[in-house]
């Protein structure tokens, strides 16, 4: 199961911690993204399969029904994943992960990248540079709603028949929740195998000059290894952990599309004390030649996003919230009025991914509608 090389002695199991705990904005009247009407009808029907999410601690939750085209695949994944065994080896893995949590105050360093250049060295050690370049990535930053946006986008693309990888944070119960393949948490067996592969390679090559990566950076590297090795993964949806410019996920140089969800004041000790500074950090994921989308933002934040896009020679398109009337009383898979904002952004991201990958002919149609809601058959998932 393990790669060559020894692992550190098993530390004591880490203590599990609980997950961390307006201005009216101008909203565009409509979207210019044209969507096929037959898709809309088809996906409204799929919306009827929606079931409300159970309590996160409820035993053995029943997963929502999937379209018949991918149901066998999902069933196979569920059988492979199984229930977590809580094996001794898995506890050892969790102990090793806990040892990567740095005991320091974030405000001690500010946002100077915290030796972000080390990420390039880690990628070299793990030989991940080329595999990452081959991934077809949807990259999402933001203050509020970035996890939900990623969840929506992943569900849309998976339900179009694509094999998906989803990396989000934080987790609620088990760290494996951060890594999802085809809508399911990665199995314990796979997680352990990929973990030791990364851990042992890094342990051999790191030392005083190149320290072991911090907790989130290691998890991001692990996600890249998982998604690049699972050759069936057609699309990797990545949620930024913190900020954007210096986030571990931002080693992706050429995502297919990127998005920025609602911006606000968060992690001010790292990202800055003003919305302008925070927006500047989030805008760090915008890349030259890559379509970028955002939602209505406060004026000072929007000006920063537009300036960053202009400097790179790209336009950043503002996506309106999804209009609930277009869903004909069908609910979204995540509850709350704010989710219509996240869903609208997710639809734009998924549609652009399909377009840029040459997959808009998945469902053959001739007619189009003007609202971006043709595939909101969003399935239940925790809100990160």
């Amino acid at each position: 199961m393990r790669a060559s090389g020894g692992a550190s002695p098993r530390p004591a199991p880490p203590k599990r911690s609980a997950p961390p705990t307006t201005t009216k904005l101008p909203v565009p009247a409509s979207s210019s993204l044209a969507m096929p009407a037959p898709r809309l009808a088809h996906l409204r029907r799929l919306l009827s399969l929606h079931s409300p999410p159970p309590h996160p601690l409820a035993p053995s939750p029943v997963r929502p029904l999937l379209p018949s085209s991918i149901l066998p695949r999902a069933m196979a994944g569920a059988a492979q994943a199984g229930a977590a065994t809580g094996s001794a080896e898995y506890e050892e893995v969790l102990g090793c992960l806990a040892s990567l949590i740095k005991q320091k105050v974030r405000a001690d360093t500010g946002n100077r990248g915290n030796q972000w250049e080390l990420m390039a060295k880690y990628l070299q050690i793990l030989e991940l540079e080329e595999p990452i370049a081959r991934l077809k990535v949807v990259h999402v930053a933001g203050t509020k709603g970035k996890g939900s946006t990623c969840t929506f986008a992943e569900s849309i693309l998976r339900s179009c028949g694509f094999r998906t990888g989803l990396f989000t944070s934080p987790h609620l119960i088990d760290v494996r929740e951060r890594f999802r393949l085809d809508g399911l948490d990665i199995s314990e067996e796979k997680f352990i195998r990929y973990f030791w592969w990364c851990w042992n390679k890094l342990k051999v090559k790191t030392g005083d000059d190149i320290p072991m990566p911090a907790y989130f950076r290691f998890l991001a590297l692990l996600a890249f290894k998982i998604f690049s090795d699972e050759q069936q993964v057609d699309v990797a949806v990545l949620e930024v952990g913190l900020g954007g410019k210096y986030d571990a996920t931002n080693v992706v140089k050429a995502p297919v599309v990127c998005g920025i969800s609602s911006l606000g004041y968060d992690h001010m000790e790292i990202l800055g004390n003003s919305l302008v500074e925070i927006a500047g950090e989030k805008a760090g994921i915008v890349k030259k030649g890559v379509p970028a989308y955002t939602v209505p933002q406060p004026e000072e934040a929007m000006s920063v996003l537009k300036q960053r896009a202009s400097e790179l020679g790209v336009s950043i398109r503002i996506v309106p919230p999804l209009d609930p009337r277009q869903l004909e009383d069908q609910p979204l898979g995540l509850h709350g009025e704010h989710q219509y904002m996240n869903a609208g952004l997710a639809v734009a991201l998924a549609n652009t991914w399909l377009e840029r990958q040459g997959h808009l002919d998945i469902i053959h149609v001739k007619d189009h509608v003007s609202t971006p809601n043709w595939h909101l058959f969003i399935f239940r998932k925790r809100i990160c």
Side-chain angles (χ1 to χ4, degrees), residues 74-305:
M75 292 177 65
Q80 184 180 32
T85 62
S87 65
E89 187 174 19
Y90 188 59
E91 289 300 316
E92 183 179 0
V93 164
L94 296 180
C96 291
L97 276 176
S99 72
L100 300 178
I101 299 174
K102 306 300 182 184
Q103 301 298 323
K104 66 179 181 180
V105 179
R106 287 174 168 172
D108 287 346
T109 58
N111 194 27
R112 301 188 181 118
N114 195 19
Q115 295 183 294
W116 193 75
E117 66 279 0
L118 287 175
M119 282 298 296
K121 299 184 183 298
Y122 298 142
L123 294 180
Q124 292 173 358
I125 292 171
L126 297 176
E127 300 175 331
L128 285 175
E129 295 155 303
E130 290 187 12
I132 288 176
R134 291 193 295 268
L135 288 175
K136 308 303 182 184
V137 171
V138 175
H139 200 195
V140 183
T143 302
K144 299 172 287 186
K146 64 185 190 296
S148 298
T149 298
C150 287
T151 298
F152 282 141
E154 183 276 336
S155 182
I156 290 168
L157 294 170
R158 170 165 45 89
S159 297
C160 286
F162 295 100
R163 305 298 298 265
T164 61
L166 175 65
F167 178 60
T168 59
S169 60
H171 59 273
L172 297 181
I173 305 296
D174 192 307
V175 68
R176 293 182 297 115
E177 297 168 23
R178 297 176 183 240
F179 311 83
R180 292 172 74 85
L181 296 169
D182 286 336
L184 301 174
D185 296 350
I186 189 172
S187 69
E188 185 176 297
E189 180 272 329
K190 279 188 176 181
F191 184 82
I192 290 173
R193 172 158 50 90
Y194 285 121
F195 172 86
W196 288 126
W197 190 92
C198 294
W199 179 269
N200 291 331
K201 274 186 169 290
L202 288 165
K203 273 294 187 181
V204 170
K205 298 287 187 177
T206 54
D208 293 337
D209 295 335
I210 304 177
M212 281 290 284
Y215 182 78
F216 182 80
R217 288 181 178 177
F218 183 93
L219 294 181
L221 293 165
L222 182 57
F224 290 131
K225 175 62 178 175
I226 292 169
F227 296 158
S228 60
D229 265 30
E230 293 291 314
Q231 296 180 359
Q232 302 89 345
V233 169
D234 301 307
V235 53
V237 182
L238 307 179
E239 178 191 359
V240 166
L242 188 154
K245 182 178 180 180
Y246 296 118
D247 188 73
T249 62
N250 206 30
V251 295
V252 176
K253 296 179 180 179
V256 176
V257 61
C258 64
I260 298 177
S261 65
S262 297
L263 296 180
Y265 293 93
D266 69 326
H267 301 290
M268 295 168 65
E269 72 278 15
I270 296 177
L271 303 181
N273 295 318
S274 70
L275 206 50
V276 168
E277 292 176 291
I278 292 171
E281 293 295 326
K282 309 286 186 180
I285 71 164
V286 178
K287 306 291 195 304
K288 185 175 182 179
V290 177
Y293 293 87
T294 190
V295 297
Q297 304 282 6
E299 183 177 351
E300 60 268 42
M302 186 63 77
S303 64
V304 173
L305 300 183

Side-chain angles (χ1 to χ4, degrees), residues 333-348:
L334 296 175
H335 300 297
E337 288 298 317
H338 61 287
Q339 295 297 353
Y340 289 96
M341 184 83 77
N342 302 327
L345 178 57
V347 168

